[in-house]
Amino acid sequence: MIKTDILIIGAGPTGLFAVFEAGLLKLKCHILDALPQAGGQLSELYPKKPIYDIPGFPEVLAGDLVDGLMEQIKQFEPGFTLGERAETIDKQEDGTFIVTSNKGTKFHAPVIAIAGGLGSFEPRKPLIEDIEFYEDKGVKYFIKNPEKFRDKRVVIAGGGDSALDWSIFLANVASEVTLIHRRNEFRGALDSVEKVQELKSAGKIKLITPAEVIGINGAEHVESLDIEENGAHRKIECDYFIPLFGLTPKLGPIGDWGLEIEKNAIKVNNALDYQTNIPGIFAIGDVNTYPGKLKLILCGFHEATLMCQAAYQIINPGKKYVLKYTTVSGVDGFDGTRKEAPKAVVKAIV
Protein backbone atom coordinates (compact mmCIF):
# COMPACT_ATOMS: atom_id res chain seq x y z
CA MET A 1 0.00 0.00 0.00
CA ILE A 2 1.46 3.32 -1.10
CA LYS A 3 0.30 6.12 1.20
CA THR A 4 0.44 9.78 0.24
CA ASP A 5 -1.34 13.09 0.82
CA ILE A 6 -2.45 13.53 -2.79
CA LEU A 7 -2.62 10.77 -5.37
CA ILE A 8 -2.26 12.41 -8.78
CA ILE A 9 -3.59 10.33 -11.66
CA GLY A 10 -1.75 11.55 -14.73
CA ALA A 11 1.89 12.58 -15.18
CA GLY A 12 1.34 15.26 -17.81
CA PRO A 13 2.36 18.89 -17.28
CA THR A 14 -0.68 19.70 -15.11
CA GLY A 15 -0.09 16.71 -12.83
CA LEU A 16 3.61 17.49 -12.54
CA PHE A 17 3.04 21.14 -11.65
CA ALA A 18 0.50 20.07 -9.02
CA VAL A 19 3.38 18.36 -7.21
CA PHE A 20 5.18 21.71 -6.93
CA GLU A 21 2.14 23.58 -5.62
CA ALA A 22 1.41 20.79 -3.15
CA GLY A 23 5.03 20.82 -2.02
CA LEU A 24 4.80 24.51 -1.14
CA LEU A 25 1.98 23.46 1.22
CA LYS A 26 4.09 20.62 2.69
CA LEU A 27 1.88 18.01 1.05
CA LYS A 28 3.39 14.82 -0.38
CA CYS A 29 2.32 13.51 -3.79
CA HIS A 30 2.44 10.23 -5.65
CA ILE A 31 1.81 10.10 -9.41
CA LEU A 32 0.17 7.21 -11.23
CA ASP A 33 0.21 7.09 -15.05
CA ALA A 34 -0.54 4.46 -17.68
CA LEU A 35 2.30 5.66 -19.91
CA PRO A 36 5.84 4.36 -19.31
CA GLN A 37 7.33 7.84 -18.73
CA ALA A 38 6.28 11.18 -17.26
CA GLY A 39 5.13 14.01 -19.50
CA GLY A 40 1.89 12.72 -20.99
CA GLN A 41 1.28 13.77 -24.59
CA LEU A 42 4.29 16.09 -24.49
CA SER A 43 6.68 13.15 -24.04
CA GLU A 44 4.81 10.53 -26.01
CA LEU A 45 3.53 12.40 -29.05
CA TYR A 46 5.59 15.52 -29.71
CA PRO A 47 8.67 15.87 -27.48
CA LYS A 48 10.57 17.82 -30.14
CA LYS A 49 7.77 20.17 -31.15
CA PRO A 50 7.80 23.75 -29.87
CA ILE A 51 5.09 25.23 -27.63
CA TYR A 52 4.51 28.97 -27.87
CA ASP A 53 1.96 29.80 -25.16
CA ILE A 54 3.82 28.99 -21.93
CA PRO A 55 4.26 32.22 -19.93
CA GLY A 56 7.86 33.39 -19.90
CA PHE A 57 8.91 31.06 -22.73
CA PRO A 58 8.57 32.58 -26.22
CA GLU A 59 9.29 29.07 -27.46
CA VAL A 60 9.96 25.85 -25.59
CA LEU A 61 10.21 22.28 -26.84
CA ALA A 62 7.60 20.00 -25.30
CA GLY A 63 10.27 17.62 -24.03
CA ASP A 64 12.25 20.48 -22.50
CA LEU A 65 9.15 21.72 -20.68
CA VAL A 66 8.71 18.26 -19.17
CA ASP A 67 12.39 18.20 -18.15
CA GLY A 68 11.97 21.60 -16.50
CA LEU A 69 8.87 20.51 -14.60
CA MET A 70 10.64 17.35 -13.41
CA GLU A 71 13.58 19.44 -12.20
CA GLN A 72 11.22 21.87 -10.48
CA ILE A 73 9.49 19.14 -8.45
CA LYS A 74 12.58 17.03 -7.70
CA GLN A 75 13.06 18.67 -4.29
CA PHE A 76 9.58 17.56 -3.25
CA GLU A 77 10.46 13.89 -3.84
CA PRO A 78 7.23 12.69 -5.48
CA GLY A 79 6.65 8.99 -5.95
CA PHE A 80 5.99 7.61 -9.43
CA THR A 81 4.15 4.49 -10.53
CA LEU A 82 4.34 4.43 -14.33
CA GLY A 83 2.97 1.94 -16.82
CA GLU A 84 -0.08 1.25 -14.65
CA ARG A 85 -3.67 2.47 -15.06
CA ALA A 86 -6.03 3.51 -12.26
CA GLU A 87 -8.71 0.82 -12.22
CA THR A 88 -10.94 0.96 -9.13
CA ILE A 89 -11.57 3.31 -6.22
CA ASP A 90 -12.96 2.52 -2.78
CA LYS A 91 -13.98 5.19 -0.31
CA GLN A 92 -13.08 4.36 3.29
CA GLU A 93 -15.14 5.09 6.40
CA ASP A 94 -12.81 7.94 7.32
CA GLY A 95 -13.38 9.62 3.95
CA THR A 96 -10.05 8.62 2.44
CA PHE A 97 -9.68 6.62 -0.77
CA ILE A 98 -7.95 3.45 -1.88
CA VAL A 99 -7.20 3.31 -5.60
CA THR A 100 -6.11 0.04 -7.19
CA SER A 101 -4.24 -0.12 -10.49
CA ASN A 102 -4.71 -2.66 -13.26
CA LYS A 103 -1.60 -4.42 -11.93
CA GLY A 104 -2.92 -4.63 -8.37
CA THR A 105 -0.88 -1.81 -6.83
CA LYS A 106 -2.87 -0.03 -4.10
CA PHE A 107 -2.68 3.66 -3.21
CA HIS A 108 -4.18 5.25 -0.08
CA ALA A 109 -4.80 9.00 0.02
CA PRO A 110 -7.29 11.53 1.46
CA VAL A 111 -7.27 13.46 -1.83
CA ILE A 112 -7.34 12.29 -5.44
CA ALA A 113 -6.39 14.66 -8.27
CA ILE A 114 -7.29 13.34 -11.70
CA ALA A 115 -4.95 15.06 -14.14
CA GLY A 116 -5.20 12.51 -16.90
CA GLY A 117 -5.20 14.90 -19.83
CA LEU A 118 -7.75 13.49 -22.25
CA GLY A 119 -7.88 10.25 -20.27
CA SER A 120 -5.71 7.16 -20.27
CA PHE A 121 -3.96 6.71 -23.59
CA GLU A 122 -4.31 3.51 -25.56
CA PRO A 123 -2.03 2.82 -28.52
CA ARG A 124 -3.55 3.03 -32.00
CA LYS A 125 -3.18 -0.53 -33.22
CA PRO A 126 -2.78 -1.40 -36.89
CA LEU A 127 -5.55 -3.53 -38.40
CA ILE A 128 -3.52 -6.71 -38.69
CA GLU A 129 -5.04 -10.13 -38.17
CA ASP A 130 -4.01 -11.85 -34.90
CA ILE A 131 -1.94 -8.86 -33.73
CA GLU A 132 -3.34 -9.32 -30.19
CA PHE A 133 -1.82 -12.83 -30.09
CA TYR A 134 1.65 -11.36 -30.62
CA GLU A 135 1.35 -8.59 -28.02
CA ASP A 136 4.16 -9.19 -25.51
CA LYS A 137 5.43 -11.85 -27.91
CA GLY A 138 7.36 -9.45 -30.08
CA VAL A 139 4.76 -6.74 -30.73
CA LYS A 140 5.35 -3.65 -28.59
CA TYR A 141 3.42 -0.38 -28.62
CA PHE A 142 5.69 1.36 -26.08
CA ILE A 143 9.42 1.22 -25.51
CA LYS A 144 10.05 1.08 -21.77
CA ASN A 145 13.50 -0.49 -21.72
CA PRO A 146 15.53 0.00 -24.92
CA GLU A 147 18.04 -2.61 -23.75
CA LYS A 148 15.39 -5.25 -24.41
CA PHE A 149 16.15 -4.75 -28.10
CA ARG A 150 19.92 -5.05 -27.78
CA ASP A 151 21.29 -7.03 -30.74
CA LYS A 152 17.77 -7.81 -32.00
CA ARG A 153 16.17 -7.22 -35.39
CA VAL A 154 13.58 -4.49 -34.95
CA VAL A 155 10.93 -3.21 -37.34
CA ILE A 156 9.28 0.14 -36.52
CA ALA A 157 6.19 1.35 -38.38
CA GLY A 158 5.06 4.97 -38.38
CA GLY A 159 5.81 8.39 -39.77
CA GLY A 160 5.77 10.74 -36.79
CA ASP A 161 8.23 11.92 -34.16
CA SER A 162 8.05 8.75 -32.06
CA ALA A 163 8.83 6.45 -35.00
CA LEU A 164 11.70 8.67 -36.14
CA ASP A 165 13.18 9.22 -32.68
CA TRP A 166 13.10 5.55 -31.69
CA SER A 167 14.55 4.47 -35.03
CA ILE A 168 17.45 6.85 -34.42
CA PHE A 169 17.94 5.68 -30.84
CA LEU A 170 17.73 1.95 -31.57
CA ALA A 171 20.13 2.24 -34.50
CA ASN A 172 22.89 2.04 -31.89
CA VAL A 173 21.21 -0.69 -29.84
CA ALA A 174 19.56 -3.22 -32.15
CA SER A 175 21.46 -5.36 -34.64
CA GLU A 176 19.08 -4.22 -37.37
CA VAL A 177 16.49 -1.42 -37.52
CA THR A 178 13.92 -1.19 -40.30
CA LEU A 179 11.57 1.80 -40.53
CA ILE A 180 8.38 1.31 -42.55
CA HIS A 181 5.97 4.09 -43.48
CA ARG A 182 3.05 4.10 -45.87
CA ARG A 183 4.21 7.40 -47.38
CA ASN A 184 7.55 8.72 -48.55
CA GLU A 185 7.07 11.88 -46.49
CA PHE A 186 7.47 11.91 -42.70
CA ARG A 187 5.64 14.25 -40.33
CA GLY A 188 8.29 14.88 -37.71
CA ALA A 189 10.97 17.28 -36.61
CA LEU A 190 13.23 18.23 -39.53
CA ASP A 191 16.43 17.32 -37.68
CA SER A 192 15.00 13.85 -36.97
CA VAL A 193 14.10 13.29 -40.62
CA GLU A 194 17.59 14.36 -41.66
CA LYS A 195 19.20 12.12 -39.03
CA VAL A 196 17.25 9.10 -40.28
CA GLN A 197 18.41 9.93 -43.81
CA GLU A 198 22.02 10.02 -42.58
CA LEU A 199 21.66 6.68 -40.78
CA LYS A 200 20.05 5.17 -43.88
CA SER A 201 22.95 6.34 -46.02
CA ALA A 202 25.37 4.89 -43.46
CA GLY A 203 23.57 1.54 -43.58
CA LYS A 204 22.40 1.71 -39.95
CA ILE A 205 18.68 2.01 -40.74
CA LYS A 206 16.73 0.25 -43.48
CA LEU A 207 13.95 2.44 -44.85
CA ILE A 208 10.96 0.93 -46.67
CA THR A 209 8.51 3.47 -48.16
CA PRO A 210 5.78 3.61 -49.26
CA ALA A 211 4.92 0.34 -47.59
CA GLU A 212 2.68 -1.23 -44.97
CA VAL A 213 2.85 -4.22 -42.63
CA ILE A 214 -0.10 -6.49 -43.47
CA GLY A 215 0.70 -9.68 -41.56
CA ILE A 216 2.70 -11.18 -38.70
CA ASN A 217 4.20 -14.68 -38.68
CA GLY A 218 5.60 -16.86 -35.92
CA ALA A 219 4.54 -19.84 -33.81
CA GLU A 220 5.04 -18.40 -30.31
CA HIS A 221 6.90 -15.16 -31.07
CA VAL A 222 7.22 -12.72 -33.94
CA GLU A 223 9.53 -14.26 -36.55
CA SER A 224 8.69 -12.28 -39.69
CA LEU A 225 6.35 -9.68 -41.16
CA ASP A 226 4.42 -9.60 -44.41
CA ILE A 227 4.99 -6.29 -46.19
CA GLU A 228 3.07 -4.69 -49.03
CA GLU A 229 5.34 -2.36 -50.97
CA ASN A 230 4.15 -0.63 -54.14
CA GLY A 231 1.53 -3.33 -54.67
CA ALA A 232 4.03 -6.18 -54.27
CA HIS A 233 4.19 -8.53 -51.29
CA ARG A 234 7.32 -9.68 -49.53
CA LYS A 235 8.46 -11.01 -46.17
CA ILE A 236 11.11 -9.64 -43.83
CA GLU A 237 12.49 -11.47 -40.81
CA CYS A 238 12.58 -9.72 -37.43
CA ASP A 239 12.43 -10.26 -33.68
CA TYR A 240 10.27 -7.26 -32.73
CA PHE A 241 7.56 -5.23 -34.42
CA ILE A 242 6.89 -1.77 -32.94
CA PRO A 243 3.94 0.07 -34.54
CA LEU A 244 4.01 3.72 -33.44
CA PHE A 245 0.82 5.26 -34.79
CA GLY A 246 0.03 7.56 -31.89
CA LEU A 247 -2.37 7.24 -28.98
CA THR A 248 -6.14 7.21 -28.57
CA PRO A 249 -7.44 8.98 -25.44
CA LYS A 250 -10.03 7.13 -23.38
CA LEU A 251 -11.47 8.06 -20.00
CA GLY A 252 -11.17 4.37 -19.15
CA PRO A 253 -12.20 2.86 -15.80
CA ILE A 254 -12.31 6.33 -14.18
CA GLY A 255 -15.56 6.79 -16.10
CA ASP A 256 -17.12 4.14 -13.83
CA TRP A 257 -16.21 5.83 -10.55
CA GLY A 258 -19.53 7.64 -10.16
CA LEU A 259 -18.14 10.98 -11.34
CA GLU A 260 -20.38 13.34 -13.29
CA ILE A 261 -19.31 13.03 -16.93
CA GLU A 262 -20.12 15.34 -19.81
CA LYS A 263 -18.85 14.63 -23.34
CA ASN A 264 -16.13 12.28 -22.08
CA ALA A 265 -14.83 14.87 -19.59
CA ILE A 266 -15.30 15.19 -15.82
CA LYS A 267 -17.52 18.03 -14.62
CA VAL A 268 -15.99 20.15 -11.85
CA ASN A 269 -16.82 23.20 -9.76
CA ASN A 270 -14.71 25.85 -11.41
CA ALA A 271 -16.19 28.61 -9.24
CA LEU A 272 -14.18 27.29 -6.28
CA ASP A 273 -11.58 24.55 -6.54
CA TYR A 274 -12.17 22.13 -9.47
CA GLN A 275 -13.63 19.50 -7.18
CA THR A 276 -15.88 16.85 -8.72
CA ASN A 277 -19.28 15.72 -7.46
CA ILE A 278 -17.42 13.38 -5.08
CA PRO A 279 -15.82 15.36 -2.21
CA GLY A 280 -12.06 14.79 -2.08
CA ILE A 281 -11.76 13.97 -5.79
CA PHE A 282 -10.60 16.78 -8.07
CA ALA A 283 -10.10 16.91 -11.83
CA ILE A 284 -7.60 19.34 -13.36
CA GLY A 285 -6.30 19.96 -16.85
CA ASP A 286 -7.78 18.69 -20.10
CA VAL A 287 -9.69 15.88 -18.38
CA ASN A 288 -12.19 18.29 -16.80
CA THR A 289 -14.98 20.46 -18.14
CA TYR A 290 -16.86 23.55 -16.97
CA PRO A 291 -18.42 26.62 -18.60
CA GLY A 292 -15.74 28.48 -20.55
CA LYS A 293 -13.19 25.66 -20.29
CA LEU A 294 -10.03 26.09 -22.39
CA LYS A 295 -7.80 23.06 -22.89
CA LEU A 296 -4.47 24.82 -22.48
CA ILE A 297 -1.45 23.85 -20.39
CA LEU A 298 -1.38 27.25 -18.68
CA CYS A 299 -5.03 26.79 -17.62
CA GLY A 300 -4.11 23.42 -16.14
CA PHE A 301 -1.37 25.08 -14.08
CA HIS A 302 -3.93 27.53 -12.67
CA GLU A 303 -6.37 24.73 -11.85
CA ALA A 304 -3.64 22.71 -10.13
CA THR A 305 -2.78 25.68 -7.91
CA LEU A 306 -6.34 26.19 -6.66
CA MET A 307 -6.86 22.44 -6.27
CA CYS A 308 -3.88 22.19 -3.92
CA GLN A 309 -5.24 24.99 -1.74
CA ALA A 310 -8.53 23.08 -1.34
CA ALA A 311 -6.66 19.81 -0.75
CA TYR A 312 -4.75 21.46 2.09
CA GLN A 313 -8.03 22.26 3.86
CA ILE A 314 -9.24 18.67 3.46
CA ILE A 315 -6.01 17.22 4.81
CA ASN A 316 -5.63 19.89 7.54
CA PRO A 317 -9.21 20.76 8.58
CA GLY A 318 -9.47 24.01 10.50
CA LYS A 319 -5.83 24.88 9.95
CA LYS A 320 -5.20 28.22 8.27
CA TYR A 321 -2.66 28.60 5.54
CA VAL A 322 -1.25 32.02 4.85
CA LEU A 323 -0.28 32.45 1.21
CA LYS A 324 3.36 33.49 0.87
CA TYR A 325 5.12 34.40 -2.34
CA THR A 326 8.14 32.24 -3.11
CA THR A 327 10.16 35.41 -3.72
CA VAL A 328 9.64 36.21 -0.04
CA SER A 329 9.42 32.84 1.71
CA GLY A 330 11.70 30.78 -0.53
CA VAL A 331 11.09 27.08 -1.21
CA ASP A 332 11.95 24.31 1.26
CA GLY A 333 12.30 20.91 -0.36
CA PHE A 334 11.48 17.65 1.39
CA ASP A 335 15.04 16.58 0.60
CA GLY A 336 16.49 19.26 2.89
CA THR A 337 17.30 21.74 0.15
CA ARG A 338 16.26 25.36 0.28
CA LYS A 339 15.89 27.93 -2.47
CA GLU A 340 15.58 31.59 -1.60
CA ALA A 341 16.35 35.01 -2.98
CA PRO A 342 19.57 36.63 -1.77
CA LYS A 343 18.93 38.61 1.40
CA ALA A 344 19.16 42.38 1.24
CA VAL A 345 22.35 43.84 2.62
CA VAL A 346 21.69 46.19 5.54
CA LYS A 347 24.41 48.82 5.52
CA ALA A 348 24.51 52.51 6.16
CA ILE A 349 25.68 54.79 3.40
CA VAL A 350 27.90 57.53 4.79
Side-chain angles (χ1 to χ4, degrees):
M1 184 80 72
I2 296 173
K3 294 187 176 183
T4 188
D5 293 322
I6 304 176
L7 174 64
I8 299 173
I9 300 174
T14 296
L16 295 177
F17 187 67
V19 174
F20 177 78
E21 288 297 322
L24 294 179
L25 301 170
K26 309 299 182 189
L27 301 178
K28 289 282 288 183
C29 294
H30 192 95
I31 297 181
L32 169 65
D33 198 293
L35 292 176
Q37 73 284 316
Q41 295 182 70
L42 275 65
S43 295
E44 189 64 28
L45 296 183
Y46 48 93
K48 290 191 174 182
K49 288 189 176 178
I51 302 173
Y52 300 103
D53 60 358
I54 303 299
F57 291 91
E59 177 181 332
V60 60
L61 295 181
D64 290 345
L65 178 59
V66 173
D67 290 343
L69 287 165
M70 291 291 285
E71 180 65 27
Q72 187 178 29
I73 66 175
K74 185 169 64 176
Q75 60 191 323
F76 294 123
E77 301 180 320
F80 284 90
T81 299
L82 302 174
E84 298 186 29
R85 183 183 65 240
E87 197 77 16
T88 62
I89 188 168
D90 295 294
K91 192 165 187 175
Q92 307 302 293
E93 290 185 5
D94 62 357
T96 61
F97 303 93
I98 292 180
V99 172
T100 304
S101 80
N102 62 320
K103 295 187 178 178
T105 309
K106 293 184 180 294
F107 309 87
H108 186 201
V111 171
I112 307 295
I114 302 171
L118 299 173
S120 65
F121 287 96
E122 304 291 336
R124 287 196 178 98
K125 302 180 181 181
L127 298 175
I128 299 174
E129 187 177 355
D130 296 330
I131 192 169
E132 287 81 8
F133 172 79
Y134 292 101
E135 290 172 359
D136 293 326
K137 297 175 184 177
V139 171
K140 299 288 184 183
Y141 302 110
F142 300 108
I143 298 177
K144 298 180 183 180
N145 178 17
E147 281 299 312
K148 187 179 184 73
F149 308 102
R150 173 72 63 182
D151 300 326
K152 302 294 183 181
R153 299 166 299 176
V154 177
V155 173
I156 294 175
D161 285 314
S162 293
L164 292 166
D165 292 346
W166 280 117
S167 295
I168 294 166
F169 187 91
L170 292 179
N172 294 315
V173 176
S175 63
E176 183 178 288
V177 173
T178 302
L179 176 59
I180 296 174
H181 183 39
R182 59 183 178 175
R183 298 188 183 91
N184 290 320
E185 301 80 18
F186 288 84
R187 298 186 65 172
L190 180 60
D191 61 332
S192 296
V193 176
E194 292 175 345
K195 183 64 176 177
V196 167
Q197 182 63 52
E198 290 174 13
L199 291 168
K200 174 182 177 289
S201 300
K204 301 200 73 175
I205 288 179
K206 294 181 179 179
L207 190 61
I208 305 177
T209 63
E212 196 170 354
V213 178
I214 58 173
I216 306 174
N217 310 296
E220 294 297 327
H221 196 278
V222 173
E223 296 175 5
S224 66
L225 301 175
D226 294 324
I227 308 296
E228 182 177 329
E229 182 183 6
N230 292 320
H233 291 192
R234 67 185 177 103
K235 186 173 295 196
I236 59 173
E237 295 183 347
C238 67
D239 302 302
Y240 287 96
F241 173 43
I242 309 172
L244 297 174
F245 297 137
L247 304 169
T248 300
K250 293 182 179 178
L251 200 53
I254 290 175
D256 301 322
W257 286 6
L259 300 166
E260 194 173 351
I261 307 294
E262 183 179 286
K263 294 181 180 178
N264 207 41
I266 302 169
K267 289 187 71 173
V268 295
N269 174 9
N270 68 306
L272 189 61
D273 53 18
Y274 304 98
Q275 198 159 188
T276 68
N277 59 304
I278 301 178
I281 301 181
F282 299 78
I284 53 177
D286 288 356
V287 77
N288 75 15
T289 186
Y290 52 83
K293 169 70 179 181
L294 294 177
K295 294 189 176 185
L296 298 172
I297 294 174
L298 60 93
C299 295
F301 291 165
H302 163 78
E303 294 165 10
T305 304
L306 296 189
M307 178 278 294
C308 288
Q309 296 288 324
Y312 181 87
Q313 295 301 324
I314 292 173
I315 296 168
N316 302 287
K319 188 175 180 181
K320 279 194 172 185
Y321 172 76
V322 179
L323 176 66
K324 296 179 181 178
Y325 301 107
T326 56
T327 48
V328 176
S329 63
V331 178
D332 291 304
F334 297 157
D335 57 1
T337 61
R338 176 169 175 76
K339 295 179 180 177
E340 61 181 334
K343 288 185 168 51
V345 176
V346 179
K347 186 176 181 181
I349 299 177
V350 295

